[in-house]
Amino acid sequence: MPKTFPQALRHALAAAGCLLALAAPLTSWSRAAVPEAAASAPSAASAPADPVALDARVEGLKSDVIQLNRDLLLLEEELLFPASTQVAVFVSSDVGDLFMLDSVQVLLDGKEVGNHLYTERELVALRRGGVQRFYLGNLRSGEHTLVAFFVGKGPHERDYKRGTTLKFEKGSEPKYVELQIKDSARTLQPVFDVKVWQ
């Protein structure tokens, strides 16, 4: 990563923040200026047009700043997590009545990299097929161990805590791991699988 990137990123974000800070007062001024212009010069047809044009320019400027901010965040992610060292962990769930997820904890090579307590809205999103990006980080090439713990309510409303372990080899390509929570109709128990995306 170039040494000047953090400085350039800070300057770009500062510029984006300044533009937003400037845009907010201009928007309120242009909205306040329309009735004032109409009251002070009712016969002038061009007076209300200027604040409206200014308001449109400010909205365009806000849109440009939002786009710039999105591009900067994507660039930062690419530079901080290059493909050669990138590892990402996702959580998905298609559970029904056998398990109510409460929290997930992930350890990578014995070090905790994530711990998340789920809200009702997040659980609904997971049940509808959503996939949560739980962790994104860098990992050197070689063999690694991922351990995930799932806490929640199991069958018959009993407290339930289960873990799963994955040993995997990290090469020069990014590694994507999915933690899947599924119901097993055969055993009437929740099943916790780890899937490595190819």
Side-chain angles (χ1 to χ4, degrees):
M1 185 169 61
K3 289 184 180 176
T4 57
F5 172 73
Q7 294 173 338
L9 182 61
R10 278 197 295 272
H11 289 306
L13 288 173
C18 289
L19 289 174
L20 278 176
L22 286 172
L26 286 175
T27 304
S28 58
W29 173 80
S30 64
R31 287 185 184 140
V34 172
E36 288 175 11
S40 63
S43 61
S46 62
D50 290 338
V52 171
L54 180 62
D55 198 29
R57 286 179 56 200
V58 167
E59 289 302 318
L61 185 62
K62 280 184 179 179
S63 176
D64 291 345
V65 168
I66 290 169
Q67 179 69 29
L68 174 65
N69 192 32
R70 188 185 71 83
D71 292 344
L72 285 171
L73 287 174
L74 289 174
L75 176 63
E76 180 182 24
E77 187 173 286
E78 286 176 15
L79 289 171
L80 292 178
F81 308 107
S84 60
T85 61
Q86 186 182 100
V87 61
V89 179
F90 299 88
V91 174
S92 68
S93 172
D94 69 349
V95 293
D97 300 324
L98 298 179
F99 184 70
M100 176 65 68
L101 181 64
D102 192 22
S103 67
V104 174
Q105 179 186 26
V106 173
L107 297 112
L108 199 51
D109 296 330
K111 178 184 173 187
E112 182 180 302
V113 294
N115 196 340
H116 188 76
L117 187 63
Y118 288 87
T119 64
E120 185 60 37
R121 294 177 78 182
E122 290 172 326
L123 293 175
V124 169
L126 285 174
R127 281 190 217 108
R128 289 183 176 173
V131 177
Q132 174 202 12
R133 187 173 78 181
F134 188 86
Y135 170 73
L136 177 66
N138 295 313
L139 206 57
R140 59 177 172 72
S141 296
E143 190 172 300
H144 300 277
T145 303
L146 182 140
V147 179
F149 294 103
F150 304 89
V151 178
K153 294 284 184 186
H156 311 296
E157 292 293 313
R158 281 186 254 160
D159 289 337
Y160 207 88
K161 181 175 182 178
R162 290 293 182 270
T164 185
T165 302
L166 169 72
K167 292 193 176 200
F168 64 94
E169 186 78 25
K170 173 72 176 75
S172 60
E173 295 296 316
K175 186 67 74 174
Y176 303 105
V177 179
E178 182 180 358
L179 306 174
Q180 300 175 321
I181 308 167
K182 300 186 282 191
D183 281 346
S184 172
R186 185 175 59 82
T187 62
L188 295 178
Q189 292 288 326
V191 177
F192 307 96
D193 285 338
V194 181
K195 176 184 176 184
V196 179
W197 295 355
Q198 299 299 330

